[in-house]
Amino acid sequence: MSKSRQWWSTLVSIALALLYALAFEHAYASYINPVYEYAHYYYFPVPLPLSVATYLFLLAPCLFYRQSEAPSAYGIALLYTLCYVPTQLMMLFNWNRDAAELLVVQASLAASMSVFMAFAAAGWRPAAQQVPLTRLKPIMGLLMVVSLVLLVWTYRNHMRFVGFEDVYDLRFDTNEIDTGPLVDYFVSWLSYCFLPFYLARGILNKRVGDVVLAISAAVLIYTSTGAKAMILMPPIMLIMHTLMRAREKFLPVLLIVLTLALIIVTDVLSDDGIGFWVKFIFLLRTLCAGGWANFVYYDYFTQNGLTYYSHISVINTLTDAYPYGKYSLGQTIGLHYSGSELANYNANFWASDGFAALGLAGIPLITLAVFAVFFLINRVSSNYPARFVALWLSGFWLGMLNLPLSTALMSAGGGLTVLLLWFAARPAPRHTAPPIEPAVDSPPRST
């Protein structure tokens, strides 16, 4: 891409990000704060210089954005729109400490996001000949069957379909089940790795059987654990697939769609019935939860004691240094802000592996770790259609927005997906001709 086209693309991204941020602030001021102030979604008066500085910080990473079809570029675009922009604004709206400290926190986050934007395509070297997806079929089929059997057998006495308003009753019932780590991991991998694989393959290759299997699995998970995200996974991935048709222009298109969605959901939808649930899921759970968690994790753990990474079970096994007893990071925040350990506010890597672990000093360290993960994803997926990998990783992207990095890699299937991609890409035995499968919604490559 020429320099003039690159600068034009950058200016367009900045303008669209500004419109998106303004739409988010409008939604926060007109709906989220008035309705959910009791849940600590505050909106303190903001001095104009701090507001201007915040907008500069949230726009700054766009200067480093480089258009790419690398799988990690899609995840980074989601991280920027669904977590980073809300975080910068909600830090501003909820801040009640020294203003200079706020600017330092915002600058550290801006530097972290800028690194991700600048190196979104690092490690991605698309191969001329792609690995057929049928290589993954046997192992994925076995894992899918095992995980579904474990799910149904474990939750068979509690499975029922409930509305969103009753989902917490279902979760309360199933919390009493002694599942064990094996079942926990397989159910989690089913949710974040196996289900997205079949849905991605079904959508891109128009395989109705794969789509039906994935949707059935989503329903079974929801009726077993009450995980709203799973019942929403099929439409989320379908939307993702539609937006991915923009290829390297995924971020600008995503910004346009989210801006329009904010305006419609905030100002057009009713506050009652289905409108309430759409507003709750889209505005509060999708857009605000990550930003609010980043603020409260910084606010709480910098004042009450850092974990020095002892919140990671492996490290705590060696050090026995975790300062919050039997409560996880999310439960600790739940106890403080909601008065109940049942309120588990899990949070993304900036909050948990950055602020809670080491304060501001944790941000550059976790930035390097996350960059290494993005690099590895691009590297091992170079032999596959980029959009298939990015769509398959939808569960992992969702996990990264809500979980510590180690948990997202282990429980949300990020590490398992990378391992499977690497395993299937190994050279086939010379006497075996690789099976042929149609390309996954991918244009022919020039030679």
Side-chain angles (χ1 to χ4, degrees):
M1 181 184 294
S2 66
K3 286 187 177 181
S4 59
R5 287 186 62 190
Q6 179 61 60
W7 274 108
W8 174 249
S9 174
T10 299
L11 290 175
V12 169
S13 297
I14 290 174
L16 293 174
L18 177 60
L19 292 175
Y20 170 58
L22 290 171
F24 179 88
E25 181 167 1
H26 167 68
Y28 191 90
S30 63
Y31 180 80
I32 298 165
N33 166 252
V35 175
Y36 293 101
E37 186 174 24
Y38 74 91
H40 309 284
Y41 284 81
Y42 301 121
Y43 192 45
F44 296 130
V46 178
L48 180 60
L50 274 183
S51 182
V52 172
T54 297
Y55 271 85
L56 291 176
F57 281 130
L58 69 85
L59 295 175
C62 292
L63 292 171
F64 302 92
Y65 173 65
R66 297 295 180 267
Q67 294 181 346
S68 172
E69 291 186 67
S72 288
Y74 293 102
I76 289 169
L78 293 171
L79 179 66
Y80 177 78
T81 54
L82 301 182
C83 186
Y84 176 76
V85 171
T87 292
Q88 290 286 19
L89 289 171
M90 293 186 71
M91 283 276 186
L92 175 69
F93 302 153
N94 290 271
W95 194 261
N96 56 4
R97 294 163 70 166
D98 182 67
E101 184 180 1
L102 170 62
L103 294 176
V104 175
V105 173
Q106 290 179 313
S108 68
L109 291 171
S112 178
M113 191 71 242
S114 296
V115 169
F116 299 146
M117 288 286 218
F119 299 101
W124 188 56
R125 300 291 185 271
Q129 185 174 358
Q130 296 175 345
V131 175
L133 299 184
T134 45
R135 287 217 194 155
L136 286 165
K137 189 175 180 179
I139 183 65
M140 292 303 297
L142 175 62
L143 292 172
M144 188 73 163
V145 169
V146 171
S147 56
L148 284 172
V149 169
L150 287 173
L151 174 76
V152 173
W153 178 257
T154 302
Y155 293 96
R156 64 191 183 280
N157 295 325
H158 298 269
M159 295 175 68
R160 63 184 185 273
F161 197 90
V162 297
F164 281 0
E165 65 275 7
D166 299 318
V167 75
Y168 295 101
D169 294 332
L170 175 59
R171 292 182 187 179
F172 182 80
D173 290 343
T174 56
N175 282 340
E176 304 299 319
I177 301 174
D178 183 16
T179 56
L182 178 66
V183 172
D184 288 341
Y185 272 113
F186 266 94
V187 171
S188 187
W189 291 338
L190 172 64
S191 304
Y192 292 101
C193 180
F194 309 153
L195 184 161
F197 169 83
Y198 279 98
L199 198 53
R201 208 170 77 123
I203 291 173
L204 292 172
N205 272 346
K206 298 178 175 59
R207 293 175 178 267
V208 177
D210 286 347
V211 173
V212 171
L213 175 61
I215 292 175
S216 300
V219 172
L220 286 174
I221 297 168
Y222 177 75
T223 57
S224 301
T225 66
K228 294 193 294 290
M230 291 305 104
I231 206 71
L232 296 173
M233 183 68 81
I236 288 172
M237 289 184 63
L238 188 58
I239 294 171
M240 279 280 294
H241 164 62
T242 302
L243 297 180
M244 283 179 177
R245 291 183 178 277
R247 300 184 184 278
E248 73 275 2
K249 294 181 175 61
F250 177 72
L251 177 60
V253 172
L254 181 61
L255 287 167
I256 293 171
V257 170
L258 286 174
T259 301
L260 293 175
L262 272 169
I263 294 171
I264 294 170
V265 171
T266 304
D267 298 322
V268 177
L269 282 188
S270 167
D271 294 346
D272 303 316
I274 189 65
F276 167 81
W277 284 109
V278 171
K279 288 186 174 184
F280 176 78
I281 292 171
F282 179 65
L283 296 179
L284 207 72
R285 296 298 301 150
T286 303
L287 296 183
C288 286
W292 184 82
N294 281 326
F295 165 72
V296 298
Y297 269 61
Y298 178 84
D299 191 54
Y300 181 85
F301 290 106
T302 56
Q303 297 186 79
N304 293 277
L306 305 174
T307 70
Y308 300 100
Y309 299 102
S310 61
H311 64 278
I312 301 173
S313 59
V314 173
I315 294 178
N316 193 49
T317 299
L318 298 174
T319 64
D320 193 28
Y322 184 66
Y324 296 100
K326 66 177 182 178
Y327 300 118
S328 66
L329 295 179
Q331 289 175 311
T332 301
I333 294 298
L335 278 170
H336 181 74
Y337 285 92
S338 299
S340 171
E341 64 186 81
L342 297 177
N344 190 352
Y345 294 106
N346 291 319
N348 59 74
F349 59 88
W350 279 319
S352 52
D353 302 317
F355 295 141
L358 212 57
L360 274 176
I363 298 302
L365 292 180
I366 193 57
T367 299
L368 290 175
V370 173
F371 167 75
V373 171
F374 285 144
F375 179 91
L376 184 60
I377 287 172
N378 285 340
R379 191 68 174 175
V380 300
S381 62
S382 294
N383 295 308
Y384 299 88
R387 276 188 287 164
F388 164 73
V389 176
L391 196 59
W392 180 12
L393 285 167
S394 295
F396 177 60
W397 305 140
L398 180 64
M400 283 196 71
L401 294 173
N402 296 279
L403 299 168
L405 179 62
S406 58
T407 307
L409 287 171
M410 291 296 295
S411 299
L416 181 60
T417 302
V418 168
L419 183 63
L420 289 167
L421 288 168
W422 170 80
F423 179 80
R426 294 182 309 164
R430 291 186 178 182
H431 63 276
T432 304
I436 298 175
E437 178 167 311
V440 182
D441 196 21
S442 181
R445 298 187 179 278
S446 58
T447 57

